[in-house]
Amino acid sequence: MNKFLLVSASTAMLGTLALADTTAHSVPDNVIDEQRSKLAATTDGKGFGPQSPRDIDANTGANNRVFSTAPLLTQMTLCDIHFHENAEHKGGEFTTYAGNGDGHGFGTGFKYDGELTAAELAPLDHKIGQSDHGDLVPGDTIEIHFVHSTAQATLGPSLGTCLSDAIGNPQLRVETVVAVLVNGSGTDFTKMAHIEEIDGLNQVPNLPTDLGTPVVYAGSTTGPSYNEKGSPFQVTWSVRPNVVKLDIHSVEAWMADNPFEEDHAHGVRNLVLNPNLLSPIH
C-alpha cells in the first residue's frame, strides 16, 4: 500500500524451532499498547478514514469517513501481489494470536487454527524466503494480498505501481487469501497467482472461490509502518474467511520469478481495535 496445532511431540519440537527466529524476543504488552495509543493520538480529529487490518468477525465501527466500494475485479487491473507472514486480519479460520513479536511487525499476527499432518509439517532441507527476520517453514500462515486499481496501473515492485500521475485518487481493492504452508502437497501458488491480460486489464483468473463468502469492508493499506500513524489510502477489502493449504515449494518458485520482485514475507500491522478507526461491516 501473513502455527498450527501439532500432531505429535516430535512435530511440536520442530514447530518450536521453526518459530524461534520470530518469537524469541517478543516485546511485552505495554509496547503494543503504547503503539495503539500513539495511533489514536496521531489520528484523533485529523479526518483519517477507516483503517486495516481488523477482526472480520466483528461488524461494528464508528468511523464516519465514507467512500464508494471499489468496482468488481473485472473492471480493475491487478497491480501488485505480496504476502505477510501470519495473517494481518483476524477471523474465520485464523484467530490464533502469534504473540506480540518484535514490535516492528515480525512474529505477530494470526495463525491458522487447524491441525496439520506430520507429512504436511515435514521440515525442509533448505531455507525458503530467508530475510533478516527469518524464513518460511511448513506450518507457517501467510496472508496474500492481490491488489487491484482503477488507475492505468503497471506490474512492478512496490505499491507505487497501483497509482498514476493521471489519476490522483484511484480506487483500490485488495482480494485477500490466507494460506497455511505445507510440504509436498497443497495448492500451487504459481497457478493461483497466474496473471492474464483480459479485456486490456491484468487479471488473476485463478483466485480461489471456495474459501467462504468474502468479508467486504472499507479500510486502508496495512503494514507495520502504520502502527503509530494512520494510512491515508482508501481501500476496499475482500477477505476470505477460510484458509487454503499452499505447497511451500510453489511459493518458493513464485518468489524466484515474479514481476513484483517479492522474495520474502512482509511484517504485519497491529490489529486495529479503536472503533473510531473502523468502518461498520454491513
Side-chain angles (χ1 to χ4, degrees):
M1 210 215 190
N2 130 299
K3 226 144 189 143
F4 36 90
L5 299 176
L6 301 172
V7 296
S8 69
S10 61
T11 52
M13 180 61 71
L14 290 172
T16 301
L17 292 174
L19 278 168
D21 283 345
T22 55
T23 61
H25 304 291
S26 188
V27 299
D29 291 345
N30 70 290
V31 172
I32 306 302
D33 292 341
E34 289 174 5
Q35 290 176 341
R36 288 200 168 104
S37 294
K38 288 182 181 179
L39 175 63
T42 57
T43 56
D44 184 36
K46 303 292 174 46
F48 279 92
Q51 301 290 296
S52 300
R54 66 177 296 160
D55 184 340
I56 60 171
D57 292 334
N59 295 333
T60 57
N63 189 279
N64 59 8
R65 299 270 72 79
V66 177
F67 61 93
S68 298
T69 301
L72 298 175
L73 288 183
T74 53
Q75 299 171 327
M76 306 182 74
T77 192
L78 178 88
C79 53
D80 185 77
I81 301 173
H82 65 273
F83 59 84
H84 302 255
E85 184 170 3
N86 295 323
E88 290 198 289
H89 288 84
K90 175 188 178 184
E93 295 182 330
F94 39 97
T95 64
T96 302
Y97 187 48
N100 292 336
D102 65 357
H104 301 285
F106 295 95
T108 187
F110 295 88
K111 304 182 293 182
Y112 173 52
D113 300 325
E115 296 184 0
L116 298 175
T117 68
E120 290 172 326
L121 290 169
L124 306 171
D125 60 4
H126 62 286
K127 302 288 188 181
I128 290 180
Q130 189 170 18
S131 73
D132 292 340
H133 304 283
D135 58 328
L136 297 172
V137 298
D140 279 341
T141 299
I142 62 172
E143 179 172 312
I144 310 160
H145 294 166
F146 298 86
V147 189
H148 296 72
S149 174
T150 55
Q152 186 172 309
T154 58
L155 299 178
S158 88
L159 288 173
T161 59
C162 301
L163 308 176
S164 168
D165 291 338
I167 299 177
N169 59 340
Q171 289 181 284
L172 301 173
R173 172 186 282 271
V174 179
E175 292 293 324
T176 304
V177 175
V178 176
V180 61
L181 304 180
V182 296
N183 189 354
S185 62
T187 297
D188 186 333
F189 184 54
T190 63
K191 293 181 179 179
M192 180 188 295
H194 172 67
I195 302 168
E196 290 183 20
E197 185 174 313
I198 301 174
D199 296 330
L201 300 173
N202 293 319
Q203 299 279 290
V204 196
N206 297 327
L207 281 175
T209 58
D210 59 351
L211 299 179
T213 301
V215 175
V216 178
Y217 77 93
S220 70
T221 53
T222 62
S225 64
Y226 292 114
N227 277 343
E228 298 181 2
K229 63 181 181 180
S231 165
F233 295 98
Q234 297 177 329
V235 177
T236 296
W237 284 87
S238 177
V239 185
R240 292 154 178 78
N242 297 336
V243 171
V244 62
K245 294 180 179 180
L246 276 187
D247 180 357
I248 192 170
H249 301 288
S250 71
V251 175
E252 179 182 32
W254 181 82
M255 287 191 293
D257 182 21
N258 68 83
F260 313 106
E261 299 181 9
E262 294 288 331
D263 60 6
H264 65 279
H266 297 264
V268 307
R269 185 185 189 183
N270 294 336
L271 196 73
V272 178
L273 303 178
N274 184 346
N276 293 327
L277 293 175
L278 295 173
S279 65
I281 298 178
H282 302 289

